[in-house]
């Protein structure tokens, strides 16, 4: 049986935190067992914010090392750097001819980015969903594992794929679908600041590369409350969040212990935090060690990127040939 194709792009900005790990990365690890996965680092997309060459390079290297350290396996998946597969830019150009100003201007991600960087509302920002569509359909992907924030971009990719097929009256592209496990949602990891979910820009995250000392410091500073005054009282959001984190990284008996302590008003948040920090460290320390090791090994990183690019290009070149044929670019000589 041919394995369905999954494509996912990873922005080379920032570092992986626990939220990314339990949200996206662990799903990638499961997916690569059963699907033909293409994971790539979206370095062309990242140009919309005008990084310096040094930052671009460092960002790409860091994410590559971090994903490898988490267990994305270049033998099982195709892991590559977007700019190593220039065919995607060609498809992007073709798709742009059928992408309309109105629909691009209406996407929430465009409006949001235009608001965030009013001094740099460039055409790349506007056509970001077109390049993303090209990333996906150039491999004829059937599934795209995306979070809520990317739903609309994926909807655009479906639209562009369908539009191309209809325009040329051929089923060149499968219509990609969002991927969720067992029909369920991803685990939501809360931050340490007592509200919302863990995020890079929120400044409430624990990062995989952080050393145990930093992690202990961060967790010990996490927001709590004055403590329960009545047995079995409802938890406030900050405390609920710490329990949610504990459920993610600790064993059920540890969770149970602190639940009981909370319900009998005997809980000491300091103890809970100490335990939480150690259990987070148990999860992250081995990954951190691998990140540091891989970052030192430029030859290995280069080899992974080269093999990934070869595999991705094979598939991209094949699709592009078909696309050009369908469009009507016939060879005259
Ligand atoms: N837009 C995605 C993000 O910001 C990154 C991305 C680029 C992507 N191309 C993609 C995701 C293709 C999935 C498929 O996270």
């Amino acid at each position: 049986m041919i394995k369905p194709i999954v494509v996912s792009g990873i922005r080379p900005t920032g570092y992986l935190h626990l939220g990314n790990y339990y949200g996206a990365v662990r799903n990638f690890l499961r997916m690569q067992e059963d699907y033909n996965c293409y994971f790539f680092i979206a370095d062309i997309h990242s140009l919309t914010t005008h990084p310096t060459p040094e930052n671009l390079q460092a960002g790409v290297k860091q994410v590559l090392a971090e994903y490898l350290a988490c267990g994305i396996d270049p033998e099982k998946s195709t892991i590559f750097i977007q700019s190593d597969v220039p065919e995607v830019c060609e498809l992007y150009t073709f798709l742009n001819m059928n992408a309309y100003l109105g629909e691009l201007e209406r996407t929430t991600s465009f409006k949001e980015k235009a608001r965030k960087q009013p001094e740099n509302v460039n055409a790349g920002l506007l056509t970001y969903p077109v390049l993303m569509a090209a990333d996906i359909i150039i491999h004829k992907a059937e599934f795209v594992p995306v979070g809520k924030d990317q739903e609309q971009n994926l909807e655009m990719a479906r639209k562009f794929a369908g539009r191309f097929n209809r325009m040329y009256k051929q089923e060149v592209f499968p219509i990609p679908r969002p991927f969720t496990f067992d029909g369920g949602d991803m685990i939501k990891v809360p931050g340490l600041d007592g509200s919302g979910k863990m995020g890079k820009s929120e400044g409430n995250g624990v990062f995989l590369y952080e050393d145990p000392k930093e992690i202990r410091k961060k967790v010990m500073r996490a927001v709590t409350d004055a403590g329960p005054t009545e047995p079995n009282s409802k938890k406030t959001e900050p405390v609920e969040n710490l329990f949610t984190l504990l459920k993610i990284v600790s064993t059920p008996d540890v969770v149970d212990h602190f639940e009981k302590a909370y319900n009998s008003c005997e809980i000491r948040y300091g103890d809970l935090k100490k335990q939480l920090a150690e259990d987070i460290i148990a999860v992250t320390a081995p990954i951190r060690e691998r990140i540091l090791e891989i970052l030192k090994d430029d030859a290995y990183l280069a080899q992974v990127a080269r093999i990934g690019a070869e595999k991705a290009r094979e598939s991209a070149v094949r699709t592009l040939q078909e696309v050009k044929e369908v469009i009507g670019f016939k060879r005259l000589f």
Side-chain angles (χ1 to χ4, degrees), residues 30 48 75 115 131 192 207 261:
R30 283 171 65 186
T48 53
E75 308 253 321
R115 194 171 44 76
L131 180 55
L192 294 173
F207 292 88

Side-chain angles (χ1 to χ4, degrees), residues 55-70:
N55 286 345
L56 181 63
Q57 164 81 16
V60 168
K61 187 175 165 184
Q62 184 74 30
V63 253
L64 183 57
E66 292 199 347
Y67 279 88
L68 292 170
C70 286

Side-chain angles (χ1 to χ4, degrees), residues 7-11 38 40-42 45 82 109 113 128-129 131-137 143-147 149-150 153-154:
V7 169
S8 189
I10 296 150
R11 268 173 300 168
Y38 287 76
F40 70 94
I41 300 167
H45 276 109
Q82 188 184 30
S109 58
K113 282 175 190 156
Y128 185 108
L131 180 55
M132 178 159 158
D135 290 327
I136 296 165
I137 67 179
F143 296 105
V144 184
V146 285
D149 62 322
Q150 295 299 313
N153 282 339
L154 182 58

Side-chain angles (χ1 to χ4, degrees), residues 187-259:
I187 302 179
K188 268 218 203 91
V189 181
L192 294 173
D193 58 349
S195 68
K197 66 171 207 196
M198 191 174 282
K200 180 173 71 90
S201 39
E202 284 76 1
N204 62 7
V206 178
F207 292 88
L208 300 180
Y209 72 84
E210 286 186 298
D211 72 30
K213 238 174 73 198
E214 288 171 276
I215 294 178
R216 282 191 199 103
K217 215 159 66 190
K218 265 192 183 174
V219 175
M220 294 316 286
R221 277 203 304 252
V223 179
T224 54
D225 59 21
T229 47
E230 278 174 47
N232 302 313
S233 54
K234 195 174 163 339
K235 299 185 187 83
T236 58
E237 199 179 351
V239 173
E240 186 68 57
N241 286 354
L242 292 184
F243 271 94
T244 303
L245 283 166
L246 201 65
K247 278 180 204 142
I248 294 170
V249 294
S250 304
T251 55
D253 52 306
V254 168
V255 178
D256 204 48
H257 166 79
F258 286 104
E259 288 281 5

